[in-house]
Amino acid sequence: MKALRKRNALLFDLTLFLSFTVVSFFAYMMTNSFDATGAIASLGLLAVICLVLIISR
Amino acid sequence: LLTLLVGTPDLSPVTWFVAATPIIALLVLMVGFNWGGAKAGAAAWFVALAAAYFGFGAGPELLAYSQTKAILLSLWVLYIIWAALFLFQIVSEAGGIRVIGDALVRVTQDRVLQLLILSWCFAGFIQGFTGFGVPVAIVAPLMAGIGFSPFVAVVATLIGHTWAVTYGSLGASFFAIVGVTGQPAEELASPLALMLGFTVFLSGIAAVWSFRGPLSVVRSMPLILIIGAVMSGVQWVMAVNGFYSLSAFTAGIVGMIAMILLTRTGWFDRANPDEQVGIESNSEAPETAMNWPRFLLAIHAYIVLVVMVLGVNMIEPVGDTLGRVAIDPSFPETVTDYGWTNPATESYRSIEILSHPGALLTYTAIIALFIYRRAGLYSEGALGRIVRNAADASVSASLGIVTLVGMALLMMESGMTYLLAQGIADVAGAFFPFLSPFIGVLGAFMTGSNTNSNILFGALQLNTALLLELNVGLILAAQTTGGALGSIIAPAKIIVGCSTVGLVGREGPVITAGIKYGLAITGVIGLATMIVALAFT
């Protein structure tokens, strides 16, 4: 993951940021539509993004 | 114990520690392990998620909605940061920063006086009508551009603008504490302005201290006392006369003019070449005459910005028309297993795309780009460099902001932040006046905003003051002053500052310095509050 980020840190970070933003709005729609299941799915996605952020630096 | 907590686990050292774990993790990783804001923020986000779920009974729905609220809050702040960085790069690429630096060197060659003019007066003036990190985003790179080290530029600006935070942003934080406590604005205006007036002097002293230490403070003291008296006096007069929105703005501009006039007399201009600490390059006074058209061309962007912000805020039809396009979802009520309730809301943090401060910065940037281009100040490929430099500085910082605000919202919406503050209030007892500003600091540390700190803790401070029979105005003044001082150590603002001067990923030393100066000033404010409380009891 670190090597991937090294190739183009700007693009990598931009992708992570946009993913975090989209998933955070996605959390709103998923929770509205599917209650706890939707909430858990979106929180899981956010957790994956945070994990990628940590191990890529 | 003062109050019963509703909606959180029983207050005990264990629950208090659990509530504090995300903050502890963040500080340990940033200060102890030198992790950057984005990486430490992501790790602290996990800690907050676990603590909210296991320790505070926050269910998945509450946690998920909190993250949507967090991204709204983040985008609200980031809109400003992106636009401010874009504007700065536009001015910088046209050589405007160098011109402004040259002009400043003509006013004074003394680096301490330059630092005071920029980080204390100018940053306070910008805070008066913008806020939300804009002063740091504009002034820190300006200082770095004229030769101050990036570290000094960020730390001094973070400290220097705090006096203007509560009455800044056209009075947003003041109106927040008035609204949340229900106290009459005219009764709060004077005590708040008096305590913030004291902060004017402390922030000036601390900004100089952070640059060159105590001896330099002694040397600059007459100037700090005179200009401090002018700025705090103007802010107080404006506030008690009901001009809440313009108090900090007017104080900043009057202070800046007074500072330049005083400096021009030469009384305080005693440059010492042996004291060039924290400076990357020395500046000599230019020998040619001042080129006023060039200077006005360089600063026109900031004049346009002032006019635009005031226009949109003062001319209601303009603000209303532009404010119609907004991202503004409603949220349902969420409740933890302990009963902590986040009420349903029709509007959490509306992002008014066309009238937002970030939009005004963007309009300014586009106008400036056009004018600089017409003036022939850009070489080939300038636009590409502007976009690239702005993106380089902002993307990594944006990641830090979203993770940190995500963590803060997890804590706020699950009742953890409130339990932390209540713990401080309960332990303090008779010493509550001393600790009152620290609660304000905690709120601003968590949210990066004096306004949010006042919304979060205004009612707690009011209730505690009433229970302990303390002067309400005094305690609320301590709250909002603490909230203003929290700007110095708020990771979100530190990341903004670092991103604009090329210190991305190296926020650790800045946060260490911020904690040192921020807590020292808060301690002095706490002592002053304690003394006044004892005198009035």
Side-chain angles (χ1 to χ4, degrees), chain A residues 5 10 13-14 16-17 20-21 24-25 27-28 31-32 35-36 39-40 42-43 46-48 50-51 53-54 57, chain B residues 38-39 42-43 45-46 60-61 63-65 67-68 71-72 75 78 82 329-331 388 391-392 395-396 398-399 402:
Chain A
R5 183 171 182 267
L10 181 62
D13 285 348
L14 187 62
L16 275 184
F17 170 73
F20 199 98
T21 304
S24 296
F25 281 115
Y28 180 79
T31 311
N32 272 350
D35 301 327
I40 290 167
S42 42
L43 286 170
L46 284 177
V48 170
C50 283
L51 206 58
L53 198 162
I54 293 169
R57 282 157 193 264
Chain B
K39 191 176 177 182
W45 183 88
F46 274 110
E61 284 117 316
L63 298 171
Y65 281 129
Q67 293 312 284
T68 312
I71 204 68
L72 283 171
L75 291 178
L78 287 172
W82 296 330
S330 60
F331 287 88
R388 173 81 199 185
D392 271 343
V395 171
S396 186
S398 304
L399 266 177
V402 290

Side-chain angles (χ1 to χ4, degrees), chain B residues 278-310:
Chain B
I279 294 172
E280 292 192 336
S281 65
N282 295 339
S283 303
E284 297 294 329
E287 287 173 5
T288 52
M290 176 83 174
N291 185 340
W292 280 102
R294 194 162 154 253
F295 176 69
L296 289 174
L297 186 62
I299 64 158
H300 85 272
Y302 297 103
I303 297 171
V304 169
L305 180 63
V306 173
V307 172
M308 203 169 297
V309 171
L310 289 178

Side-chain angles (χ1 to χ4, degrees), chain B residues 206-275:
Chain B
V208 174
W209 192 307
S210 72
F211 179 39
R212 285 202 180 143
L215 281 179
S216 208
V217 172
V218 173
R219 190 172 73 82
S220 320
M221 194 54 94
L223 191 74
I224 293 174
L225 289 177
I226 294 170
I227 302 299
V230 169
M231 293 201 294
S232 54
V234 170
Q235 183 165 253
W236 183 82
V237 168
M238 292 293 285
V240 296
N241 284 293
F243 297 106
Y244 313 121
S245 296
L246 295 176
S247 301
F249 170 80
T250 315
I253 202 161
V254 172
M256 206 158 54
I257 292 166
M259 179 75 132
I260 291 171
L261 289 177
L262 256 184
T263 307
R264 295 288 283 179
T265 64
W267 293 351
F268 300 97
D269 202 352
R270 285 165 285 176
N272 184 348
D274 296 327
E275 285 188 358

Side-chain angles (χ1 to χ4, degrees), chain B residues 282-365:
Chain B
N282 295 339
S283 303
E284 297 294 329
E287 287 173 5
T288 52
M290 176 83 174
N291 185 340
W292 280 102
R294 194 162 154 253
F295 176 69
L296 289 174
L297 186 62
I299 64 158
H300 85 272
Y302 297 103
I303 297 171
V304 169
L305 180 63
V306 173
V307 172
M308 203 169 297
V309 171
L310 289 178
V312 170
N313 282 287
M314 302 276 177
I315 306 168
E316 267 184 38
V318 176
D320 291 347
T321 309
L322 291 175
R324 281 183 192 153
V325 184
I327 302 173
D328 196 14
S330 60
F331 287 88
E333 180 183 275
T334 50
V335 187
T336 65
D337 292 346
Y338 289 95
W340 178 264
T341 305
N342 303 297
T345 172
E346 283 302 310
S347 172
Y348 179 73
R349 174 62 90 170
S350 171
I351 303 176
E352 290 153 350
I353 294 170
L354 300 177
S355 65
H356 184 280
L360 306 185
L361 278 160
T362 307
Y363 305 147
T364 307

Side-chain angles (χ1 to χ4, degrees), chain B residues 87-135:
Chain B
L87 174 62
F88 175 76
Q89 291 299 336
I90 283 170
V91 179
S92 180
E93 184 68 31
I97 301 302
R98 203 176 55 246
V99 173
I100 294 168
D102 285 348
L104 191 60
V105 171
R106 283 171 198 277
V107 173
T108 174
Q109 290 178 68
D110 188 317
R111 282 298 192 170
V112 173
L113 300 190
Q114 290 175 350
L115 176 129
L116 281 171
I117 291 172
L118 285 173
S119 70
W120 194 40
C121 303
F122 185 52
F125 159 69
I126 294 178
Q127 175 66 34
F129 62 95
T130 59
F132 308 102
V134 174

